[in-house]
Amino acid sequence: MHGLVSRNAHQEPPAVHTTDSKKLVPITTPSFHSLEGHEELNEQMRMIELTEEDLALLRRLKPGVEQEIDYITDQFYNTVLGVDKLEAIILEHSSIERLKKTLKQHIIEIFDGDINESYIAKRLNIAKIHKRVGLEPKWYLSAFQNLQNVFITAIYKESLQEHERLRVVQTITKLLNLEQQLVLEAYEKENIREKEEQYLIVKNELKQKIAEFSGELIDLSMDTNAAVEQLVASSNEVNDTFQRTALSAKESQGIARSGHQYLDGLSDQIGLIYESTNEMERSVTELSQSSRQIQKIVSAVQEIADQTKILSLNATIEAARAGEHGRGFSVVAQEVNRLAEDTKNTVFRIGELTRKSGTLTDQVVGEIRKVQELTRSGKIQSDETSRMFTDIVSALQSSTQEIVFVEEEIKALIQTIEGIGGTTAQTAASAEYFRTATENL
């Protein structure tokens, strides 16, 4: 705040006159002022030692204050208007002349020396007005200090004894201090009231937001819980499917092992057949060789039969030449010839059979070789199929292990999802409790 502005450089501030200033005497037995129903305010007045004598002294000072009230208010507002912020507040909400009039009335009421309900109510109303227009307590205190300076300066211009002047200064200081206590307390109460209103507004908004949030959280938790339950059910179905798949894979693995064993046995049988056809081929080859030897023997026998027939013919000729003596020899020759003819015919039939046997043997050998080729091809295919079954068994075994691993993972996932479901349910319960607690705020 700016300092006190005097009227002019040569004009002295007026003295505060009393109706009987020369008769002021020290008060030896103080009588403190008491206001019924305001125990705390009474304690405040006792603390600053505001007595009934002080109030009586104010009443004696009142006429002098009324004479100089224009000077006091002018000095006060000259200082206040030196602060741009305060001037802006005044011009926005009132006028200088109006406020001067109000201040004059306020100061004169101070020197009425009557602290009652009306006095307190007016001070509280001043605090409310100052709070409403945005006047901060620091400016109010500064203005009051300025007013106190004006009073003290005026008192010291009065022709008083030192103890009298001190008593007047103390009395005015006490009253101004009480004024400040009442106004600042009202300031504080108004601040508390505004803060409580703001707190209630924020609290209600917060309760509304929390209630909305809790409701949304409950709905979300319920939706999440339902989704988790559905997910658990789906996971259980997937787990059952995997278990069935694992069982089928194990069964397929067992069937593949059995097929592999069967193929191994079939491969062994094909091998035995292949060996048997080899033995048959060797036997047929030997039979073919025997047929060829028989053919040679048949040829030799045919030659012998032809030679015998020639010999029989020669014998018959010689028997005919011998006449009667050769008749018996002729009979023998005929028998030999017949025998030779029969032998030739028999050998011829044997030769035909042997040739047919050789032809059939060749055909058998050809068929056996075809069987051997088919057997060899079948054995190769059997071996390849066996290897394929081995690979299938290995793949099924690996797949089964992976399915078992996935099954374990799904079980762990189901446990995790069930844990999430439990947590979601707890969250919903917490949100419900939170909303209930909020409603009880």
Side-chain angles (χ1 to χ4, degrees), residues 167-213:
R167 177 66 186 279
V168 172
V169 171
Q170 288 177 339
T171 299
I172 293 176
T173 302
K174 291 176 185 178
L175 257 294
L176 294 179
N177 179 266
L178 182 62
E179 286 270 324
Q180 294 179 59
Q181 290 184 45
L182 292 172
V183 173
L184 291 178
E185 183 180 7
Y187 256 109
E188 182 180 4
K189 289 181 178 179
E190 188 66 17
N191 279 328
I192 292 174
R193 185 190 65 79
E194 290 182 354
K195 288 181 180 179
E196 287 178 349
E197 289 180 353
Q198 187 66 27
Y199 168 75
L200 288 175
I201 293 173
V202 173
K203 176 182 175 181
N204 290 331
E205 290 180 354
L206 182 60
K207 285 177 63 177
Q208 183 179 0
K209 294 294 183 183
I210 291 175
E212 293 175 358
F213 170 75

Side-chain angles (χ1 to χ4, degrees), residues 359-375:
T359 301
L360 292 174
T361 299
D362 292 337
Q363 291 178 356
V364 171
V365 170
E367 293 298 326
I368 288 174
R369 287 177 178 171
K370 289 180 181 180
V371 172
Q372 284 180 331
E373 186 63 29
L374 292 174
T375 304

Side-chain angles (χ1 to χ4, degrees), residues 31-47:
S31 175
F32 294 107
H33 180 72
S34 180
L35 185 61
E36 187 177 355
H38 294 273
E39 295 301 326
E40 190 169 313
L41 179 59
N42 293 334
E43 290 295 332
Q44 292 173 242
M45 289 189 290
R46 278 193 290 271
M47 188 172 183

Side-chain angles (χ1 to χ4, degrees), residues 13-42:
V16 177
H17 300 285
T18 67
T19 56
D20 193 10
S21 61
K22 301 300 182 179
K23 296 181 181 180
L24 291 175
V25 294
I27 298 175
T28 57
T29 306
S31 175
F32 294 107
H33 180 72
S34 180
L35 185 61
E36 187 177 355
H38 294 273
E39 295 301 326
E40 190 169 313
L41 179 59
N42 293 334

Side-chain angles (χ1 to χ4, degrees), residues 55 68 73 169 176 184 203 214 233 244 248 260 278 319 331 340 371-372 379 382 384 407 430 435:
L55 299 179
E68 301 300 329
T73 54
V169 171
L176 294 179
L184 291 178
K203 176 182 175 181
S214 299
R244 290 193 297 269
S248 298
H260 185 266
N278 288 334
V331 174
V371 172
Q372 284 180 331
K379 190 174 186 306
S382 176
E384 184 66 25
E407 182 182 356
S430 299
R435 184 172 66 179

Side-chain angles (χ1 to χ4, degrees), residues 51-152:
T51 65
E52 292 289 350
E53 289 75 8
D54 289 322
L55 299 179
L57 177 57
L58 288 173
R59 286 190 288 270
R60 291 197 298 273
L61 294 173
K62 181 179 178 180
V65 172
E66 289 177 333
Q67 293 177 9
E68 301 300 329
I69 193 66
D70 290 335
Y71 168 75
I72 293 172
T73 54
D74 288 341
Q75 288 295 97
F76 177 80
Y77 276 105
N78 284 340
T79 304
V80 169
L81 294 176
V83 180
D84 294 336
K85 184 174 182 179
L86 300 180
E87 183 179 8
I89 292 175
I90 292 172
L91 296 178
E92 180 181 357
H93 298 279
S94 185
S95 65
I96 302 297
E97 293 304 321
R98 181 180 176 184
L99 291 178
K100 282 185 178 182
K101 183 179 178 181
T102 303
L103 180 60
K104 289 177 184 179
Q105 183 180 356
H106 182 76
I107 292 173
I108 291 172
E109 287 178 353
I110 292 176
F111 286 87
D112 284 341
D114 188 10
I115 301 175
N116 53 26
E117 293 288 347
S118 176
Y119 181 92
I120 295 172
K122 288 182 179 179
R123 272 64 194 164
L124 298 181
N125 188 53
I126 291 172
K128 291 180 180 180
I129 294 173
H130 287 173
K131 186 71 174 65
R132 187 176 66 250
V133 301
L135 181 66
E136 298 175 81
K138 62 182 180 180
W139 301 120
Y140 172 79
L141 290 173
S142 299
F144 243 83
Q145 181 61 47
N146 174 35
L147 186 62
Q148 181 174 306
N149 292 339
V150 174
F151 278 122
I152 292 174

Side-chain angles (χ1 to χ4, degrees), residues 249-269:
K250 291 179 180 177
E251 292 177 353
S252 299
Q253 186 178 4
I255 294 171
R257 284 199 183 98
S258 299
H260 185 266
Q261 294 174 355
Y262 177 77
L263 279 176
D264 288 340
L266 180 60
S267 179
D268 293 339
Q269 290 179 359

